[in-house]
Amino acid sequence: METATIGFFSWLGITYSIKVFWAPVVDRLKLPLLDRLLGKRRSWIILAQAGIATGLYLMAHVDATVAPEMMALCGLLVAFSSATQDVAIDAYRIEIAEERLQAALAATYIFGYRLALLVAGAGALYLAEYWSWQVSYEVMAALVGVGALTVLIVREPRVNHFAAAEDIAHKVEAEAAKRSHLNPRLARLAGWFYAAVAGPFLDFFRRYRELSIAILLMVAVYRISDIAMGVMANPFYLDFMGFSKTQVADVTKIFGFFMTILGSLVGGVMVVRYGVRKILLLGAVMTAATNLLFVLLAQYPPDIVTLAIVVSADNLSGGIANVALIAWLSSMTSASFTATQYALFSSLMTLPGKFIGGFSGIVVAGYGYAEFFLIAGVMGVPAILLALFMIRHGKRLDQLAPPKDTGSPDEAQATSGA
């Protein structure tokens, strides 16, 4: 498959970047039957996992060279379901524990994410090398069952995430009924829609006021350098450098996995010790700098040791940066709109990089890998400047941060009644 085609196929990942559009549904809609059995967060996770498993199984039986359109549709099902799962899991993670534990949860989240990438990355390559891509996809579909079993074991968060949203809904319902002479059912629907869709965004912009645009810009540019570079990583290793699939799996998936985990652990400790915004700055500097190492790697003949060193530095910096970013974003979500507000942040976090990454194959074909990695490194400069801005306005951001409610609805009502 040509590099330009690979770049365009990467646009399937944009579903992760536009998940904010259906996150309000995940935040507000109770799934029939599943909600009573599992609760709101776990029911959405299970439904999303069913979509992932179905899409992977279908991909196992499609020949991408003969029917690329069908493969793209199956990939879209997997991507959409996986993005929906992310929305529900992010909300679960933020709601299950208090703010002081978010850095530790972020490190654990990255550990699980990287473990899954190890299995789905190196594991898929090994299975494809020794058996076939069909077997690889079928095994990946079966492994979704591990996540489903976990969802059945863990408990549902007790956070009172409906309180503020219902407040807004009742006000809009009353206003709609008074001014538009709507019947009660339509008025309730208008209130629900407003609370689900507009409420999370109004809450964020009213809370952070003039700093809200700077925050969203920071979120949007923080991972541009890393994501744009990552699209062309495997073609660079396999096609340009000439490494085998097993060598790439050994270095980037297995060895890189342990370096990412190390970076996550170091990042979690540093966030607790020095504060999240300083580590955000450190992560931005390290990400841009390590991307420039790939420029040097492209100038020399293939060497597995050099590859291991560069990949180690890249994964170490990525682990530190991701822990800081996840902990920072989690601290800014309101308990009443957890899924939608975090989806807004995580969508902005990946959308620019995914969009730019779609053109990465064209840049590589026209200029070369060294020039592409240089551009990717320079794209990290805005994140560094905005991280400095966040440090400068740290006290103001702390004052505006939303309180977290991790109690049950009954506990919240008892507290407000007191």
Side-chain angles (χ1 to χ4, degrees):
M1 191 175 289
E2 297 179 357
T3 55
T5 305
I6 294 171
F8 290 132
F9 257 80
S10 74
W11 276 341
L12 286 174
I14 287 182
T15 52
Y16 291 87
S17 304
I18 60 174
K19 59 190 177 184
V20 65
F21 291 114
W22 64 89
V25 178
V26 178
D27 228 351
R28 306 301 304 159
L29 183 64
K30 294 182 178 181
L31 295 173
L33 185 61
L34 285 176
D35 186 85
R36 289 202 304 270
L37 294 174
L38 300 173
K40 188 170 69 169
R41 298 308 182 200
R42 294 191 299 155
S43 63
W44 274 103
I45 297 173
I46 282 286
L47 180 64
Q49 289 171 339
I52 295 170
T54 301
L56 288 171
Y57 181 80
L58 292 175
M59 291 175 76
H61 299 276
V62 174
D63 187 340
T65 59
V66 176
E69 297 86 358
M70 181 58 67
M71 178 62 79
L73 287 174
C74 294
L76 181 61
L77 173 60
V78 174
F80 176 80
S81 301
S82 184
T84 303
Q85 180 185 233
D86 273 6
V87 171
I89 287 179
D90 285 330
Y92 181 93
R93 172 179 52 79
I94 295 169
E95 293 173 356
I96 200 67
E98 55 192 288
E99 184 178 340
R100 68 182 181 86
L101 298 177
Q102 287 302 319
L105 284 173
T108 306
Y109 174 81
I110 291 175
F111 173 78
Y113 177 75
R114 287 293 174 174
L115 183 61
L117 283 182
L118 176 63
V119 174
L125 286 173
Y126 284 132
L127 289 170
E129 181 81 10
Y130 295 111
W131 281 277
S132 67
W133 281 110
Q134 178 178 340
V135 171
S136 180
Y137 278 117
E138 287 176 343
V139 171
M140 294 304 113
L143 287 176
V144 177
V146 176
L149 180 61
T150 303
V151 172
L152 296 176
I153 293 173
V154 299
R155 69 176 176 87
E156 180 76 3
R158 296 183 303 158
V159 63
N160 184 20
H161 40 57
F162 279 104
E166 286 184 342
D167 243 6
I168 296 173
H170 290 322
K171 288 178 182 177
V172 174
E173 176 184 340
E175 193 66 22
K178 180 177 68 176
R179 294 191 175 184
S180 305
H181 306 289
L182 294 175
N183 65 50
R185 183 172 297 179
L186 288 176
R188 282 194 298 272
L189 179 61
W192 184 94
F193 181 83
Y194 185 88
V197 177
F201 303 102
L202 289 175
D203 174 81
F204 173 76
F205 284 105
R206 286 173 179 169
R207 183 178 299 280
Y208 287 103
R209 302 170 200 171
E210 74 281 359
L211 295 176
S212 58
I213 301 301
I215 292 171
L216 294 179
L217 281 174
M218 171 69 169
V219 175
V221 304
Y222 192 78
R223 293 195 61 202
I224 280 183
S225 177
D226 183 37
I227 294 174
M229 186 280 291
V231 174
M232 284 292 113
N234 276 338
F236 173 69
Y237 302 142
L238 296 170
D239 301 333
F240 182 79
M241 299 296 290
F243 293 110
S244 69
K245 286 198 266 310
T246 52
Q247 285 177 314
V248 172
D250 289 339
V251 173
T252 66
K253 304 301 182 183
I254 298 178
F255 190 69
F257 163 78
F258 290 106
M259 296 307 297
T260 300
I261 298 308
L262 177 61
S264 301
L265 294 174
V266 171
V269 172
M270 293 177 76
V271 166
V272 175
R273 176 67 177 83
Y274 299 105
V276 68
R277 283 180 286 271
K278 290 181 180 178
I279 309 308
L280 273 176
L281 174 61
L282 176 65
V285 172
M286 291 181 67
T287 298
T290 53
N291 281 345
L292 295 178
L293 293 178
F294 284 91
V295 178
L296 297 177
L297 189 63
Q299 308 298 318
Y300 297 97
D303 180 75
I304 196 70
V305 175
T306 305
L307 177 65
I309 293 172
V310 173
V311 168
S312 297
D314 182 58
N315 283 274
L316 184 70
S317 64
I320 293 173
N322 282 338
V323 163
L325 183 61
I326 291 172
W328 184 58
L329 298 182
S330 300
S331 69
M332 291 190 295
T333 61
S334 170
S336 298
F337 310 105
T338 312
T340 305
Q341 287 185 347
Y342 194 88
L344 169 65
F345 297 146
S346 58
S347 293
L348 281 174
M349 179 174 66
T350 57
L351 181 57
K354 290 286 186 182
F355 181 76
I356 293 172
F359 298 102
S360 59
I362 297 175
V363 176
V364 169
Y367 299 96
Y369 279 103
E371 290 78 4
F372 168 72
F373 291 134
L374 177 61
I375 293 170
V378 171
M379 284 192 293
V381 173
I384 297 172
L385 297 177
L386 283 166
L388 289 169
F389 177 85
M390 295 302 159
I391 291 174
R392 181 180 177 184
H393 294 273
K395 290 184 179 179
R396 173 82 170 143
L397 289 169
D398 289 338
Q399 292 171 352
L400 299 175
K404 300 296 181 185
D405 178 7
T406 54
S408 66
D410 293 338
E411 289 168 347
Q413 290 174 4
T415 303
S416 62

